Amino acid sequence: MYTIPNDAIITIAGTVGVGKSSLTKALAEKLNFRTSFEKVDNNPYLEKFYNDFDRWSFHLQIYFLAERFKEQKRMFEYGGGFIQDRSIYEDVDIFAKMHEEGGTMTKEDFATYYQLYEAMVMTPYFPQPDCLIFLESDYEDVINRIAERGRQMEIETDETYWRALYTRYVEWIENFNACPVVRININEYDVYGDIDSLDPVIEKIAKVIHTHRAMHKR
């Protein structure tokens, strides 16, 4: 049986409402790791964005890019041992691209955003996670979770946005190769009723990280 190294950085990816934050907290508790959450409550653009995609999509994406880049550096400088809620890769490949293709971000703004992303991330010096956990679920489960957590700005968002976002995530993960991936269905564990149900998930993650690190030592 493999164990997860104490210096590992594990990123959790998945569409809005799929349960990334809950799994981040539960895994951190099980592994005695620190957590890294995206800034939602004090985000100066998030509520404005949900009220006007055209006006604020570029500002929101630049904000998230900067915050996630700083957080990525902080985790590695600290020496690892983190569970991270959402990756920097999702911002460009899913959110920003969706707004550019949908007309709520201009092509010029997207080009500027992407150039900045490349300068920050697409270099051999950018510290990549040891593993990305992709949370899979049915679309109906996602919609129910969004409704249950009760964020008004999300509830008032047109359902077609959530459908488009869900579809993009499904397509995105098929081509993602920046770091090793472990796919987990949200029905495979219960972080509230039985935290030990995460043990098989942890074993999957540990095996993937061990294999990846062993290959890169050669």
Side-chain angles (χ1 to χ4, degrees):
M1 178 180 291
Y2 299 109
T3 57
I4 294 177
N6 292 332
D7 63 347
I9 293 180
I10 299 165
T11 296
I12 300 178
T15 193
V16 173
V18 77
K20 295 184 298 299
S21 297
S22 299
L23 183 58
T24 296
K25 294 175 186 175
L27 278 178
E29 179 182 336
K30 287 281 289 184
L31 299 173
N32 196 26
F33 274 28
R34 299 170 185 83
T35 56
S36 173
F37 291 101
E38 64 177 356
K39 294 184 178 180
V40 174
D41 293 338
N42 296 317
N43 188 314
Y45 298 110
L46 193 59
E47 188 170 353
K48 295 176 182 178
F49 161 76
Y50 277 111
N51 289 326
D52 189 345
F53 286 177
D54 291 10
R55 174 71 178 84
W56 296 107
S57 63
F58 176 73
H59 299 75
L60 181 68
Q61 291 307 130
I62 290 292
Y63 176 85
F64 274 134
L65 180 63
E67 290 299 317
R68 257 188 266 281
F69 181 78
K70 289 188 293 185
E71 186 64 5
Q72 198 78 2
K73 285 183 61 181
R74 183 183 76 87
M75 289 188 296
F76 276 87
E77 288 168 356
Y78 201 97
F82 278 88
I83 308 294
Q84 182 183 29
D85 178 2
R86 181 166 283 147
S87 73
I88 198 169
Y89 309 104
E90 296 158 77
D91 284 318
V92 63
D93 292 329
I94 296 178
F95 291 92
K97 191 61 179 172
M98 181 170 72
H99 286 292
E100 188 263 341
E101 291 179 355
T104 51
M105 182 186 293
T106 68
K107 294 187 181 300
E108 293 80 6
D109 281 349
F110 179 79
T112 298
Y113 170 84
Y114 192 78
Q115 288 169 14
L116 183 58
Y117 169 83
E118 284 188 314
M120 287 179 164
V121 178
M122 305 298 286
T123 73
Y125 310 107
F126 181 75
Q128 297 174 343
D130 289 280
C131 176
L132 181 140
I133 301 174
F134 183 73
L135 295 186
E136 298 181 308
S137 70
D138 293 332
Y139 175 70
E140 289 72 20
D141 289 336
V142 170
I143 291 300
N144 290 337
R145 284 174 178 242
I146 289 173
E148 286 172 2
R149 70 182 180 184
R151 291 179 184 166
Q152 198 62 29
M153 57 189 174
E154 293 179 348
I155 294 172
E156 293 174 355
T157 298
D158 194 302
E159 191 268 343
T160 57
Y161 175 77
W162 304 125
R163 172 68 75 176
L165 191 60
Y166 177 88
T167 300
R168 281 183 178 269
Y169 263 100
V170 172
E171 295 170 349
W172 169 76
I173 197 60
E174 295 298 329
N175 299 303
F176 179 80
N177 58 9
C179 68
V181 174
V182 174
R183 297 191 186 206
I184 304 294
N185 191 285
I186 61 173
N187 295 314
E188 292 180 24
Y189 57 85
D190 179 5
V191 297
Y192 299 110
D194 180 16
I195 196 169
D196 289 337
S197 64
L198 286 174
D199 289 346
V201 173
I202 292 171
E203 189 169 350
K204 285 184 185 180
I205 299 166
K207 184 176 181 180
V208 165
I209 293 175
H210 174 85
T211 302
H212 183 70
R213 288 191 175 188
M215 289 177 60
H216 282 72
K217 285 182 180 179
R218 297 175 183 173

